[in-house]
Amino acid sequence: ARFLTTVIDRELSRWARSSRKDCDAAELAFALAAYGSISRRERKRVDDPRIGFAVEVLQSLMSEDGRLPAEARLSNDDRNVGIIASEAEVLMAFAHALTYAEVDITPQTARKMLRLFQSTKVEDSSGQSENKGFRALHGTQATLWATALAADALRAFEKMLNAQINRRVLRHFF
């Protein structure tokens, strides 16, 4: 958990120092999701004020179509070829973080998150089922991989919404 809080602190300081230019939203979302998951397993309440601030930062960095900027490469080889996390993976991490964090999101953020799925959905008007599903950001055709990631992200989004609703309702009783 200490490593994750270091990553969260680093990305928040980059955001504050550079007016958002250097902050890697994907890195921050993944760190928040992992920190929340570990804290939940250890039965710790995630009420660290940095978490709330990090959620606010991610909400501010999210584009109107639900994308969070991903800059860090997940892996690199000798030729500097690497893999960057897909939009669905980053959104899924953010949804997981929001599930564990004791922070409310705005309705605008929820709408933005849904727009990612709307903008990457592929429907074939010819009726051929081979070209239905979801595509990657720069793709034109639906792929099994992008569709699987979108399905996982939608499930995480649903779980996050349930947690958000439950927290808001339970405040009135406890």
Side-chain angles (χ1 to χ4, degrees):
R2 193 175 322 169
F3 169 74
L4 296 170
T5 57
T6 302
V7 172
I8 292 166
D9 288 341
R10 180 189 69 217
E11 294 306 324
L12 290 176
S13 68
R14 285 180 177 172
W15 180 85
R17 184 178 58 233
S18 68
S19 300
R20 306 174 185 173
K21 291 177 186 158
D22 292 333
C23 178
D24 187 339
E27 184 92 356
L28 182 56
F30 288 123
L32 281 174
Y35 181 70
S37 180
I38 288 170
S39 297
R40 187 174 186 125
R41 277 196 202 125
E42 294 175 355
R43 305 245 190 258
K44 290 181 184 175
R45 190 160 176 239
V46 185
D47 56 0
D48 184 335
R50 292 174 298 182
I51 303 307
F53 182 61
V55 168
E56 288 177 24
V57 166
L58 287 173
Q59 289 183 100
S60 74
L61 291 172
M62 184 176 285
S63 68
E64 286 300 315
D65 61 356
R67 289 183 171 88
L68 286 164
E71 302 298 327
R73 295 182 183 272
L74 299 175
S75 66
N76 258 354
D77 64 12
D78 295 342
R79 297 170 298 178
N80 202 25
V81 175
I83 300 169
I84 295 177
S86 76
E87 304 83 24
E89 289 171 308
V90 177
L91 191 73
M92 183 175 12
F94 188 38
H96 282 304
L98 290 167
T99 300
Y100 302 125
E102 299 289 326
V103 178
D104 292 341
I105 64 163
T106 64
Q108 294 82 4
T109 299
R111 281 189 212 100
K112 287 179 182 181
M113 292 171 86
L114 278 177
R115 283 187 200 122
L116 177 68
F117 302 109
Q118 294 167 339
S119 68
T120 58
K121 184 178 177 184
V122 175
E123 292 186 89
D124 188 4
S125 59
S126 69
Q128 296 177 354
S129 61
E130 305 91 47
N131 198 25
K132 289 184 181 177
F134 291 88
R135 62 175 175 76
L137 174 62
H138 300 294
T140 57
Q141 300 287 322
T143 65
L144 292 175
W145 181 250
T147 301
L149 289 175
D152 283 347
L154 278 166
R155 176 65 183 117
F157 181 75
E158 175 196 22
K159 185 177 178 183
M160 178 272 300
L161 284 178
N162 285 335
Q164 291 276 322
I165 291 167
N166 288 339
R167 265 197 305 275
R168 291 175 189 200
V169 169
L170 288 174
R171 276 190 212 132
H172 296 287
F173 298 102
F174 299 104

